Amino acid sequence: MAGPSTAERGARRPKKGAPAPARPSRPAPRRRLPPPRVLLLGLAALALAGGGAWVVYGSSWLRVEATAVSGTRVLTPAQVEAAADVPRGAPLASVDTEAIAGRLVRKLPRIDTVEVTRSWPDTVELTVTERTPVLLAPSRGGYTEIDATGSRYATVKRAPAGVPLLELKPADSASLRRFGREELTVSAVAVAGALPEAVAKDTRLLRVTSYDAVTLELTRGRRVVWGSAGNGEPKSRALTALMKAEPRARTFDVSAPTAPAASRG
């Protein structure tokens, strides 16, 4: 069978510069719908999520039914629970733990820190850390407790055992006008924190007459001249060595820790 002639081949070729013949358009691909199984799984997930949210927030389950208090020493659990004002019957998940902690610290200054946690299914736990007094200031009706920061946070009728009294007697001195009673109290707290353990146990009174004149009254009529609150560590070491070297002394002077002195008078 004879092939196409030259004229026929020429007729099939497009002329130079002529537009190319348009290609037939393809139909748009059809969007595949997810199989019924995928739809069912998605609907089931939504139902579970909605049901879980209802259980946590809308149902009568997982609601606050109890408050557990721990860590108290002077405060009672009832006092802490009342100040916390935990919303009974509210969904446990919606309890504002930060707001509860803020109320406790504001209403009960004796509390130093508090941890508020949710204990599923129905309890709010309050773990309290109370402030520890390092000095006591005599006040009307009792004693004001002072913590390691110099804060006066509570008044008690009876002095806690082992906590020395603070006696501020700066009178109308230049030291009082310059530093004020609060700063002098902070200095006294610093001295109390620097004392050797054995001396701290025997300290009955810490007297401040000026910023650089702090003295301690100990048991058995002994007295320590400490000086200013500075150089606490070298003064502590010097006092320990001096008491070992002079066990019968009644006055120990470590205001200059490089030249400590002791006397029996």
Side-chain angles (χ1 to χ4, degrees):
M1 186 175 180
S5 64
T6 303
E8 290 174 342
R9 288 196 298 271
R12 291 179 182 177
R13 294 176 184 172
K15 293 181 180 182
K16 191 173 183 180
R23 295 182 180 179
S25 60
R26 295 181 180 178
R30 293 182 178 180
R31 183 178 296 176
R32 293 183 179 180
L33 296 175
R37 184 178 180 183
V38 175
L39 288 174
L40 290 174
L41 289 175
L43 292 173
L46 289 174
L48 286 174
W54 178 82
V55 168
V56 173
Y57 292 99
S59 74
S60 58
W61 308 328
L62 306 182
R63 292 181 175 268
V64 179
E65 300 293 341
T67 304
V69 179
S70 61
T72 55
R73 293 183 291 109
V74 178
L75 295 170
T76 65
Q79 287 175 309
V80 175
E81 187 172 346
D85 194 19
V86 176
R88 291 294 183 98
L92 186 59
S94 68
V95 170
D96 191 338
T97 56
E98 292 185 2
I100 293 173
R103 280 197 296 273
L104 283 170
V105 173
R106 185 174 62 256
K107 292 181 179 180
L108 300 175
R110 182 176 292 280
I111 293 178
D112 186 18
T113 61
V114 58
E115 184 179 359
V116 183
T117 55
R118 302 179 185 90
S119 179
W120 300 94
D122 59 4
T123 303
V124 173
E125 294 184 350
L126 310 174
T127 305
V128 169
T129 301
E130 295 185 14
R131 298 178 188 270
T132 300
V134 296
L135 290 173
L136 298 171
S139 61
R140 292 182 179 179
Y143 305 89
T144 299
E145 294 178 308
I146 304 171
D147 69 4
T149 67
S151 298
R152 300 174 182 240
Y153 61 90
T155 299
V156 293
K157 292 183 178 180
R158 294 184 180 181
V163 182
L165 291 177
L166 170 63
E167 186 179 272
L168 287 177
K169 284 194 172 181
D172 189 16
S173 63
S175 180
L176 178 60
R177 290 191 296 271
R178 179 180 177 184
F179 298 105
R181 299 181 73 86
E182 289 187 6
E183 192 164 348
L184 293 178
T185 299
V186 172
S187 297
V189 167
V191 172
L195 296 177
E197 185 177 354
V199 176
K201 290 180 179 179
D202 288 345
T203 301
R204 295 293 175 263
L205 184 140
L206 193 151
R207 181 180 293 110
V208 180
T209 55
S210 71
Y211 182 79
D212 54 0
V214 180
T215 58
L216 311 173
E217 300 294 336
L218 309 184
T219 56
R220 303 197 300 275
R222 294 170 297 165
R223 177 171 172 265
V224 176
V225 179
W226 190 269
S228 69
N231 297 317
E233 188 174 343
K235 288 179 180 179
S236 176
R237 291 197 300 266
L239 182 58
T240 299
L242 195 61
M243 285 183 160
K244 288 182 179 179
E246 299 287 344
R248 296 184 180 180
R250 297 178 66 84
T251 301
F252 305 89
D253 190 338
V254 292
S255 55
T258 55
S263 66
R264 298 187 179 184

